[in-house]
Amino acid sequence: MKAIGNFPARKLIHQWLKSGYMENGAFYDTMTGTPQGGIVSPLLANIALHGMEEALGVKYNNRGEIISQRTIIRYADDFVVFCESREDAQKSVDLLQRWMKYRGLSLSDEKTKIVHLKEGFDFLGFNIRHYQLTNTATGWKLLIKRSKESMQKIRDKLRQVWQQHKSQNVDALIGKLNPIIRGWANYFRIGVSFEAFSSLDNWMHHREKRYALRMHPNKTDEWRNQRYWGKLNEGREDCWVFGNIQSGNYLLKFRWTNIDRHVLVKGKSSPDDPSLKKYWQQRYKAKASELNASSQKIAKKQNYRCPVCSESLFNGEEIHTHHLIPRHQGGKDTYANLQLMHLFCHQILHAQR
């Protein structure tokens, strides 16, 4: 509370800290800390950890470029500090330990480690590592790939859907799998991901074969192939697209997602800075390319903002489609009747009706 000073939402944040929690239908006061997994946790983490850059001595020039020997990348309470030597890395750990102790926090012994980029490390689902290559000036190249853990998690998630829908029709199966494929591919498209995408597509093809065999064990391979595979995606010369030949509904492939390298935010540019409105507008527009064609049009019409909270649609929250006139009241799936909004905003809107 001391850190946020006279912030306009000060009282609301104080209420969150004192709100208590429910367990087995009973209410308990919050004597200290906040409930794990609470939706306000990222905000509180950002408040508590604000100032880490200054503590580490990270400096920028007038163009927003880092000119210090250290830098930090932070996402809520996960962060990585880059240093030029092991000795300086150890100094950074000691400095942060003291800095966090003042805030009643401490570094996780399990997660805190000092590694060289040649060894690599996992961060937010990615693996960041220096690889030795002969076609570069230094003989090394930094590659950002998906981590092994991320690959295992997506296979486990997809396998669960296949098993849960092993006896259901192919349209229901595709409806569950496509959002997972699209979301995972869009997240990892910024890294070196083509090899991972191809590997997952091959793995999915084996699952498709098993599904077809389970549904029609007495039919021939040729019959099953004609029923479930074809050139269903007219925009691609691919005759092995899995789906429903009759309805035209088909399963997405990971490698159809174009690799699109992440563009760094310039310096300390903030979306809350009115003078940078045009700059952020261009970034939101680029982010909208991850949506399907119809959703891109809706996002553009909304100026890439959520109509409920007026914040950017692309703040990391799940995006939902809202019908202005509900379908049960005759509302249609037309552009004029559709809006894109954050999941939580969508829930609030329906709760108020």
Side-chain angles (χ1 to χ4, degrees):
M1 295 305 297
K2 182 180 179 181
I4 61 176
N6 292 323
F7 182 66
R10 177 183 176 86
K11 289 184 178 180
L12 183 60
I13 294 172
H14 187 266
Q15 288 174 346
W16 271 111
L17 291 168
K18 300 292 184 180
S19 63
Y21 63 97
M22 297 287 292
E23 185 175 357
N24 297 326
F27 174 81
Y28 297 87
D29 284 324
T30 306
M31 305 308 295
T32 182
T34 59
Q36 185 175 357
I39 61 172
V40 77
S41 295
L43 170 65
L44 298 176
N46 281 328
I47 293 172
L49 299 178
H50 181 68
M52 289 183 74
E53 281 195 335
E54 289 78 5
L56 286 167
V58 178
K59 298 178 182 179
Y60 298 84
N61 61 19
N62 294 333
R63 294 188 298 273
E65 300 167 338
I66 296 171
I67 57 174
S68 55
Q69 294 182 330
R70 297 173 185 159
T71 188
I72 181 172
I73 308 297
R74 183 170 68 85
Y75 186 86
D77 61 343
D78 287 321
F79 58 89
V80 179
V81 179
F82 292 91
C83 304
E84 296 185 359
S85 68
R86 175 173 287 274
E87 292 73 22
D88 191 48
Q90 186 58 58
K91 288 180 182 178
S92 299
V93 172
D94 297 338
L95 189 155
L96 286 176
Q97 286 281 26
R98 294 193 299 271
W99 185 84
M100 297 181 97
K101 185 177 181 180
Y102 174 74
R103 288 159 173 76
L105 302 170
S106 62
L107 293 175
S108 167
D109 292 333
E110 180 183 350
K111 295 182 179 179
T112 304
K113 58 182 178 180
I114 298 176
V115 297
H116 196 280
L117 271 177
K118 294 176 184 177
E119 303 172 58
F121 62 92
D122 292 345
F123 184 57
L124 302 178
F126 290 93
N127 178 263
I128 297 93
R129 181 183 165 193
H130 249 156
Y131 289 83
Q132 194 167 12
L133 296 174
T134 57
N135 60 347
T136 62
T138 62
W140 296 87
K141 187 173 184 179
L142 182 72
L143 297 181
I144 301 175
K145 302 182 178 182
R146 78 292 170 275
S147 67
K148 291 182 179 179
E149 183 181 0
S150 296
M151 287 290 284
Q152 188 58 52
K153 282 184 177 180
I154 187 61
R155 283 193 292 262
D156 290 343
K157 190 172 184 178
L158 292 168
R159 185 184 293 110
Q160 184 179 16
V161 175
W162 279 107
Q163 292 174 347
Q164 290 174 344
H165 294 77
K166 60 184 179 182
S167 300
Q168 296 191 24
N169 65 68
V170 67
D171 288 308
L173 176 64
I174 291 171
K176 291 292 184 179
L177 289 172
N178 273 350
I180 299 174
I181 295 171
R182 184 183 294 112
W184 197 90
N186 280 334
Y187 182 80
F188 287 98
R189 70 190 298 180
I190 65 171
V192 182
S193 300
F194 183 78
E195 181 183 341
F197 288 174
S198 297
S199 174
L200 287 170
D201 284 337
N202 292 335
W203 183 85
M204 288 288 282
H205 184 69
H206 289 298
R207 304 298 308 192
E208 294 161 10
K209 286 283 190 180
R210 291 177 62 179
Y211 173 85
L213 180 61
R214 185 184 295 109
M215 295 295 284
H216 309 281
N218 298 323
K219 299 293 185 180
T220 64
D221 285 342
E222 183 179 1
W223 185 94
R224 287 189 290 266
N225 291 344
Q226 291 178 352
R227 180 179 176 87
Y228 287 105
W229 287 274
K231 191 179 176 182
L232 296 177
N233 186 343
E234 296 180 359
R236 296 183 177 273
E237 295 297 325
D238 189 342
C239 297
W240 284 95
V241 179
F242 179 77
N244 188 332
I245 303 296
Q246 294 179 334
S247 68
N249 196 15
Y250 60 85
L251 189 65
L252 297 175
K253 291 189 177 183
F254 286 92
R255 59 173 169 261
W256 289 348
T257 302
N258 295 325
I259 304 300
D260 186 14
R261 301 288 181 241
H262 173 69
V263 179
L264 286 174
V265 173
K266 293 180 181 178
K268 294 185 176 181
S269 300
S270 168
D272 297 323
D273 187 344
S275 66
L276 298 175
K277 183 178 180 181
K278 187 175 181 180
Y279 169 74
W280 284 100
Q281 187 80 6
Q282 292 300 318
R283 289 189 68 92
Y284 295 153
K285 184 178 181 180
K287 195 73 174 175
S289 63
E290 299 177 3
L291 305 173
N292 58 44
S294 59
S295 294
Q296 287 183 39
K297 292 181 180 179
I298 299 172
K300 183 178 180 180
K301 185 179 70 171
Q302 297 176 195
N303 205 22
Y304 308 105
R305 292 191 172 274
C306 172
V308 177
C309 66
S310 299
E311 296 295 325
S312 167
L313 280 169
F314 310 106
N315 64 355
E317 294 184 52
E318 185 177 340
I319 298 175
H320 272 212
T321 303
H322 172 68
H323 290 76
L324 295 172
I325 301 175
R327 278 181 290 190
H328 68 270
Q329 295 179 6
K332 301 185 180 298
D333 292 331
T334 59
Y335 290 124
N337 191 47
L338 296 177
Q339 287 184 326
L340 297 179
M341 57 185 63
H342 302 130
L343 166 62
F344 187 62
C345 294
H346 197 196
Q347 293 173 336
I348 290 176
L349 197 64
H350 280 282
Q352 292 174 345
R353 291 189 169 184

